[in-house]
Amino acid sequence: MATERHGEEPSAEDAPLGRWGALAIRDFQLFWAQGLLQGLARNMRELLLGFLVFDLTGSKLDLGITGLFMTMPVIVLGLLGGALADAVDRKRLIIYTQAANFLGLALLPVLIFSGAVQVWHLWLLASFWSGMSILGRPAERAFLPRLVPRSHVMNGITWFGALSQGTLFGGPLVGGVLIAIVGVGWAFAVNAAFLLLAVIATMAIRTSGEQLGEARRVSFAAIWEGARYLRTKDVLWGAYLMDFGVMSFGFFRIIMPALAEEVYGVGAVGLGMLVAAPAAGSFLGTAILLRMGDPPRKGVMIVLANVGYSIGLAALGLAALALSSWFYLALAVLAFLGLMDVVSFTARQALIQLVAPDYYRGRVGSFSSILAGLGNGTGSTVIGGMSTLAGVPGAFIINGCICLGITVASGLTWRGIWRHDQRTETPAD
């Protein structure tokens, strides 16, 4: 492992100012590279998993159940991941969880090539991958402010957050093309190779992941302490619950195989285009955010982005219902959803790093990961069941309207989201 750099968070003099911002810093470049590789692997795996489940069973409900299995480990391991991120070496925790996911992923091509794969294998592996990811995610997000000066935090989160959305383009597209050319088994093998490269990139980072200050223990008391702190920050708590509510009805990616086959009648490459389309919007959203710099009213950004997302979801259903032959219109609406999603995600993650001090970042971030994971898993099940009852277009319309109601109710309930202005707030560190 590379020689680690210890000490406090970097000062403003540690990196040159310029258009590349955080990407001018060596360790952030490696951090960004491992995030790129992980994001490609994660979003590619999601498409491959949905394709294989639907190919084995032909059931939209089974697609929804797949999302439920991905959610099962979120609560327990998410809380543990947050406590670990505030107690152990963050970089090592990231490496260990990445390596575990690589080993789990390497098993699946063996099952596929031997002809032994069954849907329950996929559900168990989906739970394992989700569990390892949720263990490492709080450490990953809490590690980022160590790599850049405070003035670069929003810029760094924008660059890194773009990967979460931007790899929705590359991952599914690569996955769809690989399925068409070499089959799903070799596609999963390539997926595992991406994760192995991510482990190598993380190991090359020099900045230490060791805890600053006094040693801490992983305990229920520490987890409860983080929860109590979070409840004192209305802007964070309200943003978390708003996102959870919207994603509980608005998470649509798991149903893309049914949208591709039943509504638009496109093949594996068309499916890849549908799943990748939100990333086109996320690229535009990232460019806008980078031009904006460090907007102080991030809570307002979150609310407005969720309003746009809800309207876009309903529009996707209307387009599929009335204009089912207009495949490219669906791609455009999905791109708009990606733009709204990246704005909401980036603003929320920036709030965590800027509002919460280093001592709490892992635990505060873990609650965000837990609620996001629960929302995605619940949303997968809801969209699967609703699509079975009302059809895919009807599910989008109904759920989009529900998401809009949740956004309005959340904005009225937690006024701190609207009122937060970092220009008047005391810096966390």
Side-chain angles (χ1 to χ4, degrees), residues 60 255 262-263 383 385-398:
K60 295 187 289 291
I255 210 69
E262 296 183 0
V263 177
I383 199 76
M386 189 69 75
S387 297
T388 302
L389 295 174
V392 175
F396 286 147
I397 295 169
I398 294 168

Side-chain angles (χ1 to χ4, degrees), residues 196-335:
L196 180 59
L197 291 173
V199 174
I200 295 170
T202 306
M203 293 176 66
I205 295 174
R206 294 173 182 164
T207 301
S208 172
E210 292 182 2
Q211 296 297 322
L212 304 176
E214 62 183 21
R216 298 157 210 158
R217 298 177 58 189
V218 177
S219 65
F220 287 111
I223 294 171
W224 180 243
E225 182 186 25
R228 285 190 303 170
Y229 172 80
L230 177 60
R231 286 295 290 119
T232 68
K233 299 297 180 181
D234 203 32
V235 63
L236 293 178
W237 184 240
Y240 286 8
L241 292 181
M242 179 185 293
D243 179 71
F244 169 73
V246 170
M247 287 299 104
S248 291
F249 291 91
F251 187 77
F252 60 85
R253 293 205 301 267
I254 198 71
I255 210 69
M256 288 294 99
L259 181 67
E261 181 174 322
E262 296 183 0
V263 177
Y264 293 106
V266 294
V269 174
L271 170 60
M273 293 174 67
L274 283 171
V275 179
S282 78
F283 291 142
L284 177 59
T286 298
I288 293 171
L289 289 169
L290 289 172
R291 291 284 296 174
M292 292 174 66
D294 189 18
R297 301 295 299 277
K298 296 178 178 63
V300 173
M301 292 172 60
I302 292 170
V303 176
L304 294 180
N306 277 294
V307 169
Y309 186 93
S310 303
I311 294 172
L313 189 65
L316 180 62
L318 288 170
L321 187 65
L323 302 166
S324 59
S325 62
W326 288 29
F327 176 68
Y328 291 101
L329 178 60
L331 295 180
V333 177
L334 285 165

Side-chain angles (χ1 to χ4, degrees), residues 98-181:
Q98 287 175 343
N101 259 347
F102 162 72
L103 293 173
L105 190 56
L107 173 65
L108 188 52
V110 177
L111 293 172
I112 294 172
F113 291 138
S114 67
V117 66
Q118 298 181 40
V119 69
W120 66 267
H121 294 145
L122 303 179
W123 287 342
L124 289 179
L125 284 170
S127 286
F128 177 79
W129 295 327
S130 177
M132 291 300 100
S133 296
I134 203 72
L135 269 181
R137 192 170 299 137
E140 184 179 62
R141 292 176 177 172
F143 190 40
L144 187 152
R146 296 273 191 93
L147 306 173
V148 299
R150 183 177 177 82
S151 60
H152 287 53
V153 168
M154 178 66 179
N155 180 270
I157 290 171
T158 302
W159 280 116
F160 195 75
L163 297 176
S164 300
Q165 306 300 320
T167 51
L168 280 171
F169 183 83
L173 212 55
V174 170
V177 170
L178 284 175
I179 290 173
I181 295 176

